[in-house]
Amino acid sequence: MKNINIILSALTGILGLLSGIAPYTFAKVCAMEKMHCHAVTAPTVLVFGIVIFVVSAVQVITLWKKK
């Protein structure tokens, strides 16, 4: 059962990274620097993606040590 939790946590981390880089790669935001989507939304999505990745990485490490 713990292996499944480790795998799911790792997948969550990968999805966090993908969602964080999405506004800059495959789901580009508008190029106008003063627009809300470029100035606020893209950095916010990046920060939350990084937070999701870090929390998932900590969870994987914690579960791995308990194994």
Side-chain angles (χ1 to χ4, degrees):
M1 186 68 173
K2 289 185 180 182
N3 288 337
I4 293 172
N5 290 337
I6 293 171
I7 292 169
L8 290 176
S9 295
L11 287 174
T12 303
I14 292 170
L15 290 175
L17 281 179
L18 288 176
S19 66
I21 63 170
Y24 301 102
T25 55
F26 53 87
K28 293 194 181 275
V29 294
C30 63
M32 299 176 67
E33 292 181 7
K34 295 187 179 189
M35 294 295 289
H36 188 271
C37 57
H38 185 81
V40 177
T41 305
T44 303
V45 170
L46 177 65
V47 168
F48 279 116
I50 292 170
V51 168
I52 291 170
F53 174 75
V54 169
V55 169
S56 296
V58 169
Q59 186 175 6
V60 166
I61 292 168
T62 305
L63 289 172
W64 191 272
K65 287 184 178 181
K66 285 184 180 180
K67 185 177 172 183

